[in-house]
């Protein structure tokens, strides 16, 4: 059975800059998301949006200071969190939602699931839930074949993990010892379906990896430092040529499956508990203050910087023009 990863972490082992960077990146993701929801409510953005509020610790912990631009990620449909952690400019993400030329797709209006930023190693998602699990084997295999030390991280939910692409992917990655790190973002629900109704492994989703000979564990995804450490070890293993790792990160979404979902299938007390007692940003902030790493004023300053950055990004994306008809033929190879 998968082990629970819990490392004793001393904040003194990190530099103050790094600790504050984790904080600011989580705040940046949350503010990006809150402002996008406002744009939806104002009628400026249409289509489905899957908010990542509540799970910022998973993305920041796994990516920031663990991955380089040349390392690859495949995000999930709640993946603005991961794209921001990997360094995609906020204006480009807003541009994809607004359909303006500022977007990564230069006006094709990708929303959340069809954007990419290859220069920063963001290779995309896929049309159907879980298909990124198959594609990620490709970039991991190519790094191994070419002899580079690039690693690939693939993100997917508990619902995606109940589909068959996971098993084909695990088999290949296990067989060829690929530098591939699986991050299962287990927020307990696939739309309204609880994880207990979708997996035949009874204890942990990470137990699937056992059968493929892949090291695995379960971690508190809302603890940014635990997340950082567990992925750091997996990245080191992958770079040593020791193959894949499967990490199940426990988290919870603060909002419904998509904006507009009444979210009435979750016990309100359970949701309240996650928001009040298990919020990744709130808890991390309390730890930084309790352990004397910084003052409240320093954190307020970081929050203000983020607010400014978000406002500028929205303006840039909104000021950018919509594409003309010629855009349809750009990037079309046939
Ligand atoms: C093959 C396929 N089946 C169903 C859907 C519809 N769908 C979109 S998101 C989703 C739930 C995914 O749940 P999970 O992987 O746990 O991610 P979460 O939304 O909880 O982050 C479903 C069923 C889809 N996009 N593709």
């Amino acid at each position: 059975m998968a082990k629970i990863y819990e490392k004793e972490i001393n904040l003194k082992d990190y530099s103050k800059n790094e600790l504050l960077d984790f904080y600011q990146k989580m705040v940046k993701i949350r503010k990006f998301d809150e402002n996008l929801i406002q744009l939806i409510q104002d009628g400026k953005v249409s289509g489905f949006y899957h908010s990542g509020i509540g799970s910022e610790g998973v993305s920041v912990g796994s990516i920031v200071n663990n991955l380089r631009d040349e390392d690859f990620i495949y995000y999930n449909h709640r993946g603005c969190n991961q794209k921001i952690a990997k360094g995609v400019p906020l204006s480009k993400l807003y541009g994809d939602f607004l359909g303006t030329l500022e977007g990564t797709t230069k006006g094709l209006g990708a929303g959340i699931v069809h954007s990419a930023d290859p220069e920063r190693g963001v290779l995309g998602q896929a049309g159907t839930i879980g298909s990124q699990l198959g594609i990620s084997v490709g970039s991991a295999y190519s790094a191994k074949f070419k002899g580079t030390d690039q690693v690939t991280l693939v993100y997917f939910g508990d619902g995606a993990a109940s589909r068959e692409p996971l098993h084909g992917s695990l088999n290949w990655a296990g067989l060829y010892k690929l530098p591939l790190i699986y991050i299962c973002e287990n927020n307990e629900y696939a739309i309204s379906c609880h994880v207990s109704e979708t997996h035949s492994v009874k204890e942990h989703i990470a137990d699937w990896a056992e059968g493929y000979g892949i090291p695995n564990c379960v971690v508190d995804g809302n603890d940014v430092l635990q997340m950082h450490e567990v992925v750091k070890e997996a990245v080191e293993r992958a770079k040593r040529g020791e193959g894949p790792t499967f990490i199940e990160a426990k988290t919870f979404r603060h909002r419904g499956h998509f904006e507009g979902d009444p979210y009435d299938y979750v016990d309100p007390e359970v949701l309240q508990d996650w928001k009040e007692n298990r919020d990744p940003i709130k808890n991390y902030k309390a730890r930084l203050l309790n352990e004397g790493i910084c003052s409240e004023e320093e954190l307020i300053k970081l929050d203000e910087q983020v607010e400014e950055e978000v406002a500028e990004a929205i303006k840039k994306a909104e000021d950018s023009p919509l594409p003309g008809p010629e855009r349809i033929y750009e990037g079309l190879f046939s």
Side-chain angles (χ1 to χ4, degrees):
M1 203 195 296
K3 287 203 188 69
I4 308 294
Y5 182 94
E6 211 176 347
K7 190 172 174 177
E8 208 164 300
I9 293 175
N10 187 347
L11 295 193
K12 301 269 168 348
D13 294 338
Y14 290 85
S15 71
K16 180 174 173 180
N17 276 352
E18 190 176 12
L19 291 172
L20 295 189
D21 193 33
F22 289 144
Y23 171 79
Q24 197 176 30
K25 295 256 163 67
M26 287 198 288
V27 171
K28 184 164 154 175
I29 290 171
R30 182 155 305 181
K31 298 256 177 237
F32 166 87
D33 205 314
E34 287 170 350
N35 279 275
L36 182 59
I37 291 168
Q38 191 58 53
L39 290 172
I40 294 169
Q41 289 170 356
D42 293 345
K44 292 184 178 172
V45 166
S46 58
F48 280 106
Y49 180 57
H50 306 97
S51 165
I53 294 180
S55 302
E56 297 86 349
V58 177
S59 313
V60 170
S62 55
I63 294 173
V64 175
N65 292 347
N66 276 334
L67 299 193
R68 306 155 299 181
D69 279 351
E70 60 267 36
D71 295 314
F72 304 119
I73 67 160
Y74 295 87
Y75 55 87
N76 62 16
H77 60 279
R78 230 167 270 293
C80 284
N81 293 18
Q82 296 130 34
K83 294 183 239 186
I84 295 169
K86 195 75 168 61
V88 181
L90 301 186
S91 61
K92 298 214 161 289
L93 296 177
Y94 283 123
D96 278 332
F97 284 98
L98 290 159
T100 59
L101 287 175
E102 174 62 15
T104 64
T105 58
K106 299 197 185 92
L108 295 186
I112 198 166
V113 292
H114 298 296
S115 72
D117 191 344
E119 280 175 26
R120 294 180 182 85
V122 178
L123 297 188
Q125 202 222 7
T128 53
I129 293 298
S131 358
Q132 69 271 33
L133 286 157
I135 308 171
S136 61
V137 167
S139 55
Y141 195 86
S142 110
K144 178 144 187 151
F145 190 70
K146 291 198 243 165
T148 75
D149 69 348
Q150 290 161 292
V151 299
T152 296
L153 260 70
V154 59
Y155 293 84
F156 51 100
D158 42 284
S162 69
R163 293 196 64 230
E164 63 284 1
L166 178 68
H167 298 279
S169 179
L170 289 174
N171 185 46
W172 213 249
L175 176 63
Y176 288 103
K177 292 215 173 308
L178 299 182
L180 179 53
I181 299 167
Y182 295 87
I183 310 275
C184 178
E185 198 170 282
N186 181 1
N187 59 21
E188 296 189 24
Y189 285 88
I191 309 185
S192 57
C193 203
H194 192 257
V195 65
S196 56
E197 300 169 279
T198 53
H199 285 271
S200 67
V201 276
K202 283 295 165 228
E203 205 63 40
H204 303 296
I205 296 174
D207 293 338
W208 286 122
E210 201 65 40
Y212 298 92
I214 295 178
N216 55 81
C217 65
V218 180
V219 65
D220 177 358
N222 282 9
D223 183 330
V224 68
L225 296 179
Q226 292 293 339
M227 199 63 214
H228 182 72
E229 290 295 325
V230 73
V231 173
K232 188 169 157 191
E233 289 172 22
V235 167
E236 283 164 2
R237 271 178 43 76
K239 286 186 180 167
R240 286 198 301 267
E242 292 171 24
T245 304
F246 189 112
I247 298 163
E248 177 184 345
K250 300 266 198 184
T251 185
F252 211 77
R253 51 179 157 84
H254 286 191
R255 302 184 67 85
H257 175 66
F258 62 96
E259 287 313 299
D261 173 7
Y263 208 12
D264 50 6
Y265 41 86
V266 168
D267 179 343
E269 279 182 23
V270 171
L271 180 56
Q272 200 51 22
D273 180 47
W274 278 92
K275 283 184 179 176
E276 272 178 21
N277 305 316
R278 303 176 74 175
D279 181 297
I281 303 180
K282 203 167 154 184
N283 288 353
Y284 184 60
K285 180 176 176 175
R287 186 166 181 195
L288 291 177
L289 294 175
N290 290 342
E291 300 196 27
I293 299 296
C294 59
S295 65
E296 181 108 45
E297 290 68 41
E298 281 174 280
L299 296 182
I300 291 172
K301 233 186 213 152
L302 297 179
D303 293 351
E304 287 169 354
Q305 281 171 6
V306 168
E307 268 156 30
E308 244 171 67
E309 186 184 345
V310 169
E312 278 168 21
I314 293 175
K315 181 162 181 354
K316 190 169 181 190
E318 283 189 318
D319 287 351
S320 168
L322 292 170
E326 70 286 350
R327 176 67 187 97
I328 296 170
Y329 301 104
E330 283 172 29
L332 189 67
F333 303 102
S334 79

